Amino acid sequence: MRDLFADDEHALPRRENITAGAVLMRGVALGVEDELLAALAAVAQDAPFRHMTTPGGVMSVAMTNCGAGGWVSDRSGYRYDSTDPETGKPWPDMPQVFRRLAIEAAADGGYDTFVPDACLINRYLPGARLSLHQDRNERDMACPIVSVSLGLPASFQFGGPKRIDPIRKYLLRHGDVAVWGGPSRLCYHGISTLKAGDHPKIGPMRINLTFRRAL
Ligand code: MD6
Ligand code: FE
């Protein structure tokens, strides 16, 4: 039997190398999905999703954070901040189920010393997108990023270290985890406009958790 992971209509490889340093592992978050969703609801109650402004305008993706550091943006630029500018409070603690999944997935992806101190949570409703960008606000670029997808499927655009490098696309589905670091750490990437749909567990949206060593 080939090692495929099936989710409704498509069967895709359970593990796929995106490029050197970046691997996509499908379905690995499914074992803890209910715990993840309960923890996510608690985080979003303390630190509600909001549409941040960037120097380029208001984002279509809504965001929040948990952990010691949170990614925040305003008209002047991006940064990590230990305080939620909306509530004036520290970001909610990173739930154990989040941290454990990130540590285990990182190790499985070849990064066995990764411990996250920040988790950026993105919420996409149909029509939302994330334009091509690099993740370069984290202090230590030797640490990878662990990305967990929940809810509606999305097309992940993955390029190279230069904005003009050719782009490949990967379908990210509920439960998929990408681990991404080393030589791929500064590759450009983005999410294409989310298509309408209704996920049985999550509803009409996609949620992405990205775990980082930010501070
Ligand atoms: C998303 N993810 O999947 C957006 N960044 O909604 C990211 O921007 C991202 O998935 C760095 C590493 C992995 C990612
Ligand atoms: Fe990113």
Side-chain angles (χ1 to χ4, degrees), residues 122 124 130 133 135 145 147 149 156 172 180 189 191 206 208 210 212:
N122 296 149
Y124 299 74
L130 191 61
H133 66 277
D135 287 30
I145 292 179
S147 160
S149 292
F156 187 50
L172 297 181
W180 175 347
H189 58 279
I191 295 285
R206 170 175 185 264
N208 175 260
T210 54
R212 299 126 190 273

Short mmCIF file of all heavy atoms in Angstrom, two decimals, residues 122 124 130 133 135 145 147 149 156 172 180 189 191 206 208 210 212, ligand 1:
data_model
loop_
_atom_site.label_atom_id
_atom_site.label_comp_id
_atom_site.label_asym_id
_atom_site.label_seq_id
_atom_site.Cartn_x
_atom_site.Cartn_y
_atom_site.Cartn_z
N ASN A 122 -4.13 32.60 12.87
CA ASN A 122 -4.76 33.29 11.73
C ASN A 122 -6.13 32.70 11.48
O ASN A 122 -6.28 31.48 11.46
CB ASN A 122 -3.94 33.09 10.44
CG ASN A 122 -2.56 33.69 10.49
OD1 ASN A 122 -1.64 33.19 9.87
ND2 ASN A 122 -2.39 34.76 11.22
N TYR A 124 -9.12 32.73 8.57
CA TYR A 124 -9.51 33.10 7.21
C TYR A 124 -10.98 32.78 7.01
O TYR A 124 -11.38 31.63 7.16
CB TYR A 124 -8.74 32.28 6.17
CG TYR A 124 -7.25 32.44 6.18
CD1 TYR A 124 -6.47 31.87 7.20
CD2 TYR A 124 -6.59 33.12 5.16
CE1 TYR A 124 -5.10 32.00 7.20
CE2 TYR A 124 -5.21 33.25 5.16
CZ TYR A 124 -4.47 32.69 6.18
OH TYR A 124 -3.12 32.81 6.17
N LEU A 130 -3.56 35.77 2.23
CA LEU A 130 -2.35 36.32 2.85
C LEU A 130 -1.32 36.45 1.73
O LEU A 130 -0.91 35.45 1.14
CB LEU A 130 -1.85 35.38 3.95
CG LEU A 130 -0.76 35.92 4.86
CD1 LEU A 130 -1.22 37.16 5.62
CD2 LEU A 130 -0.32 34.85 5.85
N HIS A 133 4.92 36.73 1.51
CA HIS A 133 5.74 37.42 2.51
C HIS A 133 6.85 36.49 3.00
O HIS A 133 6.82 35.29 2.76
CB HIS A 133 4.87 37.85 3.70
CG HIS A 133 4.32 36.69 4.49
ND1 HIS A 133 3.19 36.01 4.11
CD2 HIS A 133 4.77 36.08 5.62
CE1 HIS A 133 2.95 35.04 4.97
NE2 HIS A 133 3.90 35.05 5.90
N ASP A 135 8.80 35.46 6.75
CA ASP A 135 8.69 35.60 8.19
C ASP A 135 10.07 35.97 8.69
O ASP A 135 10.94 35.10 8.80
CB ASP A 135 8.22 34.29 8.83
CG ASP A 135 6.76 34.01 8.56
OD1 ASP A 135 6.26 34.43 7.51
OD2 ASP A 135 6.12 33.38 9.40
N ILE A 145 9.70 27.19 11.99
CA ILE A 145 8.32 27.54 12.29
C ILE A 145 7.50 26.27 12.09
O ILE A 145 7.77 25.49 11.17
CB ILE A 145 7.83 28.68 11.37
CG1 ILE A 145 8.56 29.97 11.72
CG2 ILE A 145 6.32 28.86 11.47
CD1 ILE A 145 8.20 31.15 10.87
N SER A 147 3.63 25.02 11.49
CA SER A 147 2.35 25.58 11.03
C SER A 147 1.29 24.48 11.00
O SER A 147 1.48 23.45 10.36
CB SER A 147 2.59 26.17 9.64
OG SER A 147 1.39 26.32 8.93
N SER A 149 -2.71 23.55 10.23
CA SER A 149 -3.91 24.01 9.50
C SER A 149 -5.14 23.30 10.03
O SER A 149 -5.14 22.08 10.23
CB SER A 149 -3.76 23.72 8.00
OG SER A 149 -2.75 24.53 7.45
N PHE A 156 -1.51 26.84 -0.42
CA PHE A 156 -0.31 27.45 0.15
C PHE A 156 0.68 27.69 -0.98
O PHE A 156 1.06 26.77 -1.69
CB PHE A 156 0.24 26.47 1.17
CG PHE A 156 1.38 26.96 2.00
CD1 PHE A 156 1.33 28.18 2.65
CD2 PHE A 156 2.50 26.18 2.17
CE1 PHE A 156 2.38 28.61 3.44
CE2 PHE A 156 3.56 26.59 2.96
CZ PHE A 156 3.49 27.82 3.60
N LEU A 172 -3.26 22.68 1.79
CA LEU A 172 -3.20 22.47 3.24
C LEU A 172 -4.61 22.20 3.74
O LEU A 172 -5.51 22.99 3.52
CB LEU A 172 -2.64 23.70 3.95
CG LEU A 172 -1.22 24.11 3.62
CD1 LEU A 172 -0.82 25.33 4.42
CD2 LEU A 172 -0.24 22.96 3.88
N TRP A 180 9.18 24.02 9.06
CA TRP A 180 9.82 24.82 8.08
C TRP A 180 10.96 25.62 8.68
O TRP A 180 10.72 26.44 9.57
CB TRP A 180 8.69 25.70 7.63
CG TRP A 180 9.03 26.71 6.70
CD1 TRP A 180 10.24 27.16 6.35
CD2 TRP A 180 8.09 27.44 5.97
NE1 TRP A 180 10.11 28.12 5.44
CE2 TRP A 180 8.82 28.32 5.20
CE3 TRP A 180 6.71 27.43 5.90
CZ2 TRP A 180 8.19 29.21 4.34
CZ3 TRP A 180 6.11 28.31 5.06
CH2 TRP A 180 6.85 29.18 4.28
N HIS A 189 6.23 33.04 0.95
CA HIS A 189 5.07 32.15 0.98
C HIS A 189 3.81 32.98 1.20
O HIS A 189 3.89 34.13 1.66
CB HIS A 189 5.23 31.10 2.08
CG HIS A 189 5.41 31.73 3.43
ND1 HIS A 189 6.62 32.22 3.86
CD2 HIS A 189 4.53 31.98 4.43
CE1 HIS A 189 6.48 32.73 5.07
NE2 HIS A 189 5.20 32.61 5.44
N ILE A 191 -0.96 32.57 1.21
CA ILE A 191 -2.17 31.76 1.11
C ILE A 191 -3.09 32.41 0.09
O ILE A 191 -3.45 33.59 0.21
CB ILE A 191 -2.88 31.66 2.49
CG1 ILE A 191 -2.02 30.92 3.51
CG2 ILE A 191 -4.26 31.00 2.34
CD1 ILE A 191 -1.95 29.41 3.34
N ARG A 206 -11.05 28.87 7.85
CA ARG A 206 -9.78 28.16 8.07
C ARG A 206 -9.05 28.84 9.21
O ARG A 206 -9.04 30.06 9.30
CB ARG A 206 -8.91 28.21 6.81
CG ARG A 206 -7.49 27.71 7.04
CD ARG A 206 -6.68 27.67 5.76
NE ARG A 206 -5.37 27.08 5.99
CZ ARG A 206 -4.27 27.78 6.23
NH1 ARG A 206 -4.28 29.09 6.21
NH2 ARG A 206 -3.12 27.17 6.46
N ASN A 208 -5.19 28.83 11.11
CA ASN A 208 -3.80 28.39 11.04
C ASN A 208 -3.07 28.82 12.30
O ASN A 208 -3.18 29.97 12.72
CB ASN A 208 -3.11 28.99 9.80
CG ASN A 208 -1.64 28.64 9.76
OD1 ASN A 208 -0.79 29.46 10.12
ND2 ASN A 208 -1.32 27.44 9.35
N THR A 210 0.67 29.23 13.77
CA THR A 210 2.11 29.14 13.49
C THR A 210 2.89 29.38 14.77
O THR A 210 2.75 30.41 15.42
CB THR A 210 2.61 30.09 12.37
OG1 THR A 210 2.23 31.41 12.65
CG2 THR A 210 2.09 29.68 11.02
N ARG A 212 6.39 29.75 16.77
CA ARG A 212 7.69 30.34 16.51
C ARG A 212 8.52 30.47 17.78
O ARG A 212 7.97 30.47 18.87
CB ARG A 212 7.50 31.77 15.95
CG ARG A 212 6.74 31.83 14.66
CD ARG A 212 5.56 32.77 14.76
NE ARG A 212 4.69 32.64 13.59
CZ ARG A 212 4.88 33.31 12.47
NH1 ARG A 212 5.85 34.17 12.37
NH2 ARG A 212 4.06 33.14 11.44
C1 MD6 B 1 -1.15 30.28 6.91
N1 MD6 B 1 1.15 30.69 7.23
O1 MD6 B 1 -0.91 29.11 6.65
C2 MD6 B 1 -0.07 31.30 6.92
N2 MD6 B 1 4.60 31.27 7.75
O2 MD6 B 1 -2.28 30.69 7.16
C3 MD6 B 1 2.31 31.33 7.18
O3 MD6 B 1 2.42 32.49 6.85
C4 MD6 B 1 3.51 30.59 7.53
O4 MD6 B 1 2.41 28.49 7.41
C5 MD6 B 1 5.74 30.65 8.05
C6 MD6 B 1 5.82 29.29 8.15
C7 MD6 B 1 4.69 28.55 7.94
C8 MD6 B 1 3.52 29.18 7.62
#
